């Protein structure tokens, strides 16, 4: 037998023996979110192990204390920051560590704490992290007690210096916390880096760089085994490498594998492989780590725009802030999944995570659901936008923050662009040149497989110093769509994306009738007054935008027409807390979303669906409850058809077809109650029909849950849509009655919302007024394995169906 065969036989025999070491025992990732004590205010004495926090509130993470507070225009966060309280809060948790773990390395990992966190273990200060969006970890090993003696971890969160953001941030440990227990010889934190240097039909090459850490007192010889599995858990590639590591040192090992006939990842079929990397010391498995892997190639071209796996693909993107509406900043998997599902159904294929490092959950979901991601590091550099923002931490922290951001996220196949900043002030002066070069350099040292971009506003080349640095791979431009046609000339040979666009304004279900082609800019220019509505609403016809922006149609028409614009990221996919332009308080959340804060689509959602998705679409609006003889604008979004005919109570009001680059058709209709009906046809053949009925008096409440069952894990959420309807089941479009919820069994109410931007009632109550016929209640499993029973009643004496959600283990 050849030497090499003998060798591999021995290795496989060793691997077989090592089955005795259970994989889950060598790297233990413990959920560390449960049973924390929490108290608002300053409690420096709580770092002492003798301190008694038993009278503090007990809660589970992730947690955002701002969202629990009451709105006030006097909060230092200001309405721009969501008009909710911030301040300081302390968390404390006591826990035991088994004697069996004496020889282990034990680290605590925080995904995100807003902001200025400091952590102590058993009275010992572990460190500070000002950036509220960055993930970080501390090694607890030297300070732990084992056995029955308690360990105390204390976290101070200081969000009192305000304002520190242009949008709502939340306050607290708002992302998950984990305890990671490994052997002293282990794969380092963020210690794997996976790329796919070559992808052909026949073969996908996988390159893995692994950083190994030897915290033991002796030199070690190890074997590294990496395996690739397909979605059916079939092994499709493996490699074995040997390595020596000195005591107390870390080394890098490189491996290359080949997967035959790789199935590609794309936005419609986001196929994921799994890479398992195992570390053996002799026959003993000492560590293992799993990553997802997607084979995809992409390219930005100065003339042809973006392509994915060689297929020209326009980026149909939206910008999203991190808050989850009524849940505040709490990074809930289910909440993020719902948000992304809404976007997917609209036809969105890309997300710009504006303007900060995201939750892990968001990127995991983008990998799984098939979104292209622009990951963004900063909204400010050295020059501030608001008084107490990140510029205060820039000098000390930007390098580490940027490195950590790339290291954590570079294995996600969904991530295809690194943005080093949004509308950065330094684009306007020569200091921008050196900083851009420095930041691009930091990113490139860690990842060269993705272009580095920045979202710029200044599109005169000589005046933009970030561009002048020559360091960007991809130019992002925000707004000013009318200038797009000048870009090939001004930015010769450059790759370009509309990194931010639109900033249109709408309130779901509210309609003002302007002239057919009238477009309003609210406010019309910088600091200009405007004639808005007394109830802080903005019409949901796509006719209003901020003065720096455009309506959805204006902007999309411009992007659609130009191949060299790789695509667009609409500001924003969903309403978010804070930045309530154009109104002052009590407005406290944004009007920019295509979907409102509660997750209910505004009408323009269907314009995008008609343009961006494969679905057949016919959407007509508004509702059909007006004053007799009033002239009402009726709009239709449609696709897959060449005309739409409108009927009122059976009488045709005429056929319309989109002209030129129009994206909707409209009629002026003299109102009479009854049934408004639209039929879309292609070559005379009916494609779709839609009816809108005049609603009668509110007679009933309809509850519809997005899930039939959830787990009793205290994480799972069910979103229940509440519709106020008449006796025939037609939505009552102006219903605004108070709805009260009654819940029992294995769930509790964790949020209520109605999507109205100036609603000041609490997101945490068990009642809320319907707004334009609808509201939402969010239920979370409370740990009991009992079915959840939910019912609603209203102040006007009507009640709902009772819904039951199964709760399983
Ligand atoms: C942009 C900015 C966004 C948001 C938006 C509102 O200029 O990048 O963060 O403020 O304006 O229109």
């Amino acid at each position: 037998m050849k030497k090499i065969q003998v060798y591999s036989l021995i290795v496989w025999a060793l691997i077989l023996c090592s089955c005795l070491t259970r994989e889950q025992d060598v790297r233990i990732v413990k959920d560390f979110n449960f049973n924390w004590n929490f108290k608002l205010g300053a409690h420096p004495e709580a770092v002492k192990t003798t301190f008694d926090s038993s009278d503090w509130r007990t809660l589970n993470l992730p947690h955002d204390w701002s969202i629990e507070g009451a709105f006030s225009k006097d909060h230092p966060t200001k309405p721009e920051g969501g008009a909710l309280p911030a301040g300081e809060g302390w968390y404390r948790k006591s826990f035991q560590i088994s004697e069996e773990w004496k020889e282990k390395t034990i680290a605590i990992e925080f995904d995100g704490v807003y902001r200025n966190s400091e952590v102590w273990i058993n009275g010992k200060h572990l460190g500070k992290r000002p950036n509220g969006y960055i993930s970080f970890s501390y090694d607890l090993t030297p300070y732990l007690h084992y056995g029955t003696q308690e360990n105390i971890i204390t976290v101070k969160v200081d969000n009192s210096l305000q304002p520190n953001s242009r949008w709502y941030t939340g306050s607290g440990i708002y992302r998950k916390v984990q305890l990671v227990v490994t052997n002293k010889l282990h794969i380092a934190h963020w210690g794997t880096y996976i790329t796919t240097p070559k992808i052909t039909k026949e073969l996908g090459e996988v390159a893995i760089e692994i950083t190994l850490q030897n915290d033991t007192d002796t030199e070690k010889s190890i074997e590294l085994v990496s395996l690739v599995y397909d979605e059916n858990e079939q092994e499709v590639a493996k490699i074995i490498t040997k390595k020596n590591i000195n005591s107390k040192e870390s080394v890098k090992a490189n491996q290359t594998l080949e997967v035959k006939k790789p199935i590609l990842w794309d936005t419609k079929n986001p196929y994921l492989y799994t890479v398992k990397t195992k570390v053996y010391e002799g026959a003993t498995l000492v560590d293992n780590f799993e990553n997802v892997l997607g084979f995809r190639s992409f390219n930005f071209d100065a003339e042809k725009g973006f392509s994915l796996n060689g297929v020209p693909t326009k980026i149909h993107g939206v910008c999203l802030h991190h808050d989850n509406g009524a849940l505040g900043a709490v990074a809930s998997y289910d909440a993020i999944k719902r948000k992304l599902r809404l976007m997917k159904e609209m036809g969105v294929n890309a997300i710009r995570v504006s303007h900060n490092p995201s939750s892990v959950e968001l990127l995991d979901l983008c990998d799984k659901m098939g979104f292209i991601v622009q990951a963004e590091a900063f909204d400010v550099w050295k020059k501030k936008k608001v008084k107490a923002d990140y510029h205060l931490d820039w000098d000390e922290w930007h390098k580490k923050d940027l490195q950590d951001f790339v290291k954590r996220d570079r294995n996600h196949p969904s991530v295809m662009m690194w943005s080093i900043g949004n509308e950065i002030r330094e684009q306007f002066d020569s200091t921008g040149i050196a900083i851009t070069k420095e930041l691009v350099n930091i990113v490139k040292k860690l990842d060269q497989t993705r272009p580095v971009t920045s979202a710029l506003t200044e599109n005169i080349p000589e005046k933009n110093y970030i561009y002048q640095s020559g360091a960007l791979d991809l130019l992002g431009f925000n707004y000013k769509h009318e200038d797009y046609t000048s870009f090939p000339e001004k930015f010769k040979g450059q790759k370009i994306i509309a990194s931010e666009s639109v900033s249109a304004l709408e309130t779901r279900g509210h309609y003002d009738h302007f002239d057919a082609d009238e477009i309003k800019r609210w406010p019309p220019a910088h600091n200009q007054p405007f004639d808005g509505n007394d109830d802080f609403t903005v019409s949901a016809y796509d006719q209003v935008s901020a003065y720096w922006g455009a309506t959805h149609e204006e902007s999309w028409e411009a992007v659609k027409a130009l191949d060299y614009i790789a695509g667009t990221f609409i500001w924003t996919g969903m309403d978010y807390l804070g930045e309530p332009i154009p109104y002052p308080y009590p407005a406290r959340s944004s009007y920019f979303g295509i979907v409102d804060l509660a997750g209910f689509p505004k009408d323009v959602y269907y314009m995008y669906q008609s343009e961006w998705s494969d679905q057949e679409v016919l959407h007509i609006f508004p509702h059909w409850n007006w004053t007799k003889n009033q002239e009402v604008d009726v709009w239709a979004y449609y696709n897959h058809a060449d005309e739409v005919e409108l009927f009122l109570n059976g009488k045709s009001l005429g056929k319309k077809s989109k002209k030129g680059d129009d994206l909707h058709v409209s009629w002026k209709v003299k109102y009479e109650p009854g049934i408004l009906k639209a039929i879309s046809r292609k070559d005379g053949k009916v494609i779709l029909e839609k009816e809108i009925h005049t609603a009668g008096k509110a007679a009933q409440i309809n509850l519809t849950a997005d899930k039939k069952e959830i787990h009793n894990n205290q994480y799972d959420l069910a979103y229940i849509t509440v519709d106020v309807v008449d006796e025939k089941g037609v939505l009552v479009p102006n219903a605004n009655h108070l709805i009260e919820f009654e819940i029992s069994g294995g769930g509790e109410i964790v949020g209520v919302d109605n999507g109205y931007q100036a609603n000041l009632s609490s997101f945490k109550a068990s009642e809320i007024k319907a707004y334009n016929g609808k509201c939402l209640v969010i239920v979370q499993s409370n740990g009991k394995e009992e079915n959840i029973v939910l019912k609603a009643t209203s102040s006007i004496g009507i009640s709902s169906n009772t819904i039951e959600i199964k709760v399983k283990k």
Side-chain angles (χ1 to χ4, degrees):
M1 233 190 261
K2 281 195 192 138
K3 229 176 171 181
I4 195 125
Q5 281 172 320
V6 175
Y7 166 70
S8 71
L9 262 178
I10 295 172
V11 168
W12 282 107
L14 293 179
I15 291 171
L16 226 63
C17 300
S18 68
C19 291
L20 301 172
T21 320
R22 292 194 320 163
E23 288 192 9
Q24 59 267 41
D25 291 343
V26 295
R27 172 173 285 262
I28 300 161
V29 180
K30 266 181 82 85
D31 180 329
F32 214 57
N33 291 327
F34 289 90
N35 289 319
W36 287 74
N37 287 158
F38 170 74
K39 196 167 183 184
L40 275 176
H43 307 285
E45 64 285 4
V47 305
K48 292 199 193 112
T49 45
T50 48
F51 180 81
D52 180 10
S53 61
S54 58
D55 62 339
W56 291 15
R57 177 177 157 199
T58 302
L59 52 73
N60 298 339
L61 305 177
H63 169 242
D64 169 9
W65 78 71
S66 292
I67 203 70
E68 298 168 348
F71 291 105
S72 163
K73 66 175 182 328
D74 300 326
H75 287 311
T77 52
K78 304 198 177 161
E80 290 77 7
L84 285 167
E88 185 174 332
W90 286 65
Y91 296 84
R92 226 163 163 271
K93 180 177 164 78
S94 97
F95 59 102
Q96 293 179 355
I97 295 285
S98 151
E99 292 275 0
E100 284 172 25
W101 289 353
K102 261 201 161 136
E103 293 310 312
K104 304 274 185 188
T105 293
I106 301 179
I108 187 163
E109 294 185 358
F110 292 86
D111 281 4
V113 184
Y114 203 91
R115 68 187 296 276
N116 276 320
S117 66
E118 283 180 74
V119 182
W120 290 261
I121 177 76
N122 296 332
K124 163 82 188 148
H125 190 249
L126 291 171
K128 177 180 167 154
R129 205 66 194 239
N131 190 320
Y133 300 105
I134 209 78
S135 297
F136 54 92
S137 96
Y138 295 111
D139 182 9
L140 303 181
T141 324
Y143 319 107
L144 289 173
H145 308 303
Y146 296 85
T148 51
Q149 197 182 342
E150 293 292 317
N151 294 282
I152 308 284
I153 192 133
T154 310
V155 183
K156 171 189 175 186
V157 184
D158 187 359
N159 192 17
S160 54
L161 216 55
Q162 291 284 343
N164 60 44
S165 172
R166 301 185 300 110
W167 59 87
Y168 175 82
T169 61
S171 310
I173 310 179
Y174 70 100
R175 292 180 183 159
K176 72 174 185 305
V177 181
Q178 294 178 330
L179 210 61
V180 178
V181 184
T182 55
N183 286 311
K184 292 223 179 300
L185 173 59
H186 60 269
I187 296 169
H189 184 225
W190 299 327
T192 53
Y193 174 39
I194 301 184
T195 53
T196 50
K198 195 166 146 200
I199 305 171
T200 66
K201 266 208 168 117
E202 294 309 312
L203 187 133
E205 199 174 281
V206 185
I208 318 181
E209 181 193 280
I210 302 147
T211 309
L212 294 149
Q213 178 72 36
N214 180 6
D215 289 340
T216 71
D217 295 324
T218 50
E219 187 192 341
K220 298 279 180 188
S221 296
I222 55 130
E223 246 152 33
L224 262 181
V225 182
S226 286
L227 305 116
V228 181
Y229 295 87
D230 67 12
E231 282 192 351
N232 298 320
E233 291 172 30
Q234 295 300 308
E235 182 190 308
V236 292
K238 67 170 181 268
I239 187 170
I240 303 164
T241 322
K242 287 190 157 210
K243 200 87 196 170
N244 287 343
I245 323 172
N246 291 332
S247 158
K248 311 285 179 200
E249 269 189 11
S250 92
V251 292
K252 282 194 165 68
N254 289 288
Q255 297 183 313
T256 306
L257 297 92
E258 288 180 354
V259 174
K260 293 210 179 87
K261 296 201 183 343
I263 300 174
L264 301 184
W265 181 102
D266 68 28
T267 57
K268 294 205 169 128
N269 179 29
Y271 194 93
L272 291 175
Y273 291 84
T274 306
V275 180
K276 289 190 187 173
T277 300
K278 303 184 180 188
V279 184
Y280 289 93
E281 195 190 346
T284 315
L285 178 67
V286 290
D287 199 3
N288 63 358
F289 197 82
E290 263 189 49
N291 279 291
V292 297
L293 161 73
F295 287 105
R296 86 284 185 270
S297 60
F298 61 90
N299 185 47
F300 287 89
D301 183 275
E303 279 162 29
K304 295 188 212 131
F306 181 75
S307 59
L308 182 60
N309 301 326
V311 181
T313 305
K314 199 78 161 178
I315 291 183
H316 296 155
V318 292
C319 301
L320 290 177
H321 270 317
H322 69 304
D323 77 71
N324 289 311
L327 304 181
V330 167
S332 148
Y333 187 85
D334 280 4
I336 300 167
K337 190 170 177 186
R338 173 178 184 253
K339 184 148 99 176
L340 290 177
R341 191 170 36 77
L342 282 161
M343 296 298 111
K344 194 86 200 176
E345 281 166 17
M346 171 179 140
V348 170
N349 65 11
I351 305 292
R352 173 173 174 233
V353 189
S354 45
H355 308 293
N356 46 260
S358 74
S359 63
V360 174
E361 289 79 1
L362 181 101
L363 295 184
D364 286 348
L365 281 160
C366 286
D367 292 342
K368 280 189 195 148
M369 295 171 77
F371 288 98
I372 296 158
V373 173
Q374 178 172 133
E376 191 155 67
F378 303 116
D379 190 53
V380 285
W381 293 352
K382 247 175 129 68
K383 296 205 161 91
K384 70 175 170 216
K385 288 185 179 168
V386 292
K387 199 172 87 192
D389 65 22
Y390 186 73
H391 81 282
L392 297 175
D393 306 308
W394 180 262
D395 285 343
E396 197 180 336
W397 288 98
H398 74 274
K399 187 166 177 207
K400 178 150 183 59
D401 284 343
L402 187 59
Q403 285 171 334
D404 287 356
F405 157 74
V406 176
K407 277 193 207 159
R408 196 199 69 176
D409 294 344
R410 61 188 171 164
N411 288 336
H412 288 278
S414 57
V415 175
M416 298 193 201
M417 292 158 261
W418 299 117
S419 165
I420 52 171
N422 172 60
E423 299 192 347
I424 296 297
R425 294 271 188 260
E426 283 84 345
Q427 70 187 299
F428 304 113
D429 71 77
S430 58
T431 63
I433 296 182
I435 305 180
T436 308
K437 285 186 178 160
E438 185 211 345
L439 302 184
V440 173
N441 206 15
I442 292 171
V443 175
K444 297 268 167 168
K445 276 208 172 115
L446 294 166
D447 181 47
Q448 296 188 14
T449 71
R450 298 162 173 98
V452 180
T453 187
S454 183
L456 309 168
T457 46
E458 178 55 76
N459 69 32
I460 299 173
E462 313 76 69
K463 290 192 180 165
N464 190 320
Y465 294 89
I466 293 184
Y467 166 66
Q468 290 290 329
S469 75
L472 295 182
D473 304 306
L474 172 69
L475 304 182
F477 286 105
N478 288 6
Y479 304 99
K480 304 182 192 160
H481 66 280
E482 56 287 350
D483 294 347
Y484 291 167
T485 49
S486 67
F487 287 178
E489 193 49 42
K490 286 203 283 196
F491 300 99
K492 275 213 172 74
Q494 296 289 333
K495 301 161 182 178
I496 293 171
I497 188 161
S499 38
E500 198 175 307
S501 60
V502 185
S503 275
L505 307 165
E506 276 116 14
T507 298
R508 190 243 329 141
H510 177 85
Y511 304 95
D512 293 326
H513 303 281
F514 304 136
D515 289 344
D517 296 323
E518 195 177 350
I519 284 174
K520 291 189 186 275
R521 308 293 179 203
W522 279 4
H526 185 59
N527 278 340
Q528 289 282 303
F530 67 100
D531 49 352
N533 297 331
D534 292 343
D535 61 354
F536 306 96
T537 53
V538 182
S539 174
Y541 295 107
D542 180 21
Q543 289 180 291
V544 190
S545 86
Y547 70 84
W548 55 89
T551 64
H552 292 277
E553 288 195 29
E554 286 177 304
S555 174
W556 172 234
E557 279 163 11
V559 174
K560 189 181 172 182
L562 304 170
D563 286 347
Y564 56 83
I565 304 282
T568 186
F569 287 103
I570 315 287
W571 192 265
T572 47
M574 193 154 172
D575 280 345
Y576 52 93
L577 290 159
E579 223 182 17
I581 290 162
Y583 288 114
Y585 192 80
R588 48 56 169 167
S589 56
S590 86
Y591 292 74
F592 298 117
I594 299 167
V595 166
D596 76 11
L597 195 68
F600 303 134
K602 301 176 187 175
D603 296 287
V604 77
Y605 182 90
Y606 302 95
M607 185 278 278
Y608 287 109
Q609 200 174 52
S610 74
E611 286 283 299
W612 289 0
S613 82
D614 299 331
Q615 291 181 55
E616 285 179 346
V617 175
L618 173 62
H619 177 75
I620 51 169
F621 60 103
H623 57 76
W624 210 239
N625 279 59
W626 300 96
T627 315
K628 197 149 177 96
N629 290 329
Q630 180 183 353
E631 193 171 72
V632 177
D633 292 297
V634 176
W635 286 32
Y637 294 125
Y638 70 94
N639 62 8
H640 301 192
D642 44 37
E643 62 173 36
V644 178
E645 186 168 4
L646 191 69
F647 301 85
L648 179 56
N649 295 329
K651 214 177 100 210
S652 173
L653 302 177
K655 296 173 184 172
K656 300 256 175 167
S657 302
K658 290 188 255 191
K659 301 259 169 353
D661 49 13
D662 281 356
L663 299 171
H664 75 275
V665 290
S666 68
W667 295 258
K668 290 256 178 217
V669 179
K670 203 170 239 189
Y671 177 74
E672 59 181 64
I675 300 171
L676 190 69
K677 177 175 180 169
I679 302 179
S680 64
R681 298 188 192 91
K682 186 168 178 66
D683 301 327
K685 203 180 123 238
V686 173
I687 301 292
L688 287 173
E689 298 188 5
K690 274 283 154 70
E691 286 185 0
I692 300 185
H693 294 222
T694 301
K697 252 180 50 199
Q700 202 184 308
I701 304 167
N702 275 354
L703 302 184
T704 320
D706 68 342
K707 284 183 198 138
K708 288 203 176 72
E709 55 179 31
I710 60 175
H711 296 94
N712 69 337
N713 55 13
Q714 301 189 58
Y715 288 111
D716 279 13
L717 301 177
Y719 280 78
I720 294 108
T721 297
V722 182
D723 290 322
V724 180
V725 298
D726 70 4
E727 47 176 34
K728 292 187 187 138
V730 178
L731 186 85
V732 180
N734 54 3
N736 59 1
H737 324 105
L738 185 71
I739 312 277
E740 288 165 72
F741 302 101
E742 217 177 275
I743 189 164
S744 61
E748 62 184 348
I749 292 172
V750 289
V752 287
D753 191 9
N754 60 18
Y756 176 41
Q757 290 107 342
N759 174 39
L760 296 182
S761 68
S762 170
F763 287 123
K764 292 287 171 191
S766 57
E767 57 175 39
I768 189 162
K769 279 183 170 178
Y771 183 71
N772 292 339
K774 290 172 100 66
C775 60
L776 173 80
V777 53
I778 311 167
V779 168
Q780 185 169 54
S781 77
N782 62 10
K784 286 190 216 153
E785 214 187 313
E786 271 170 47
N787 287 359
I788 298 167
V789 179
L790 182 80
K791 205 176 150 59
T793 51
S794 162
S795 51
I796 55 159
I798 58 173
S799 58
S800 75
N801 53 319
T802 301
I803 56 166
E804 202 166 328
I805 298 166
K806 200 172 156 197
V807 178
K808 58 181 180 187
K809 263 221 164 88

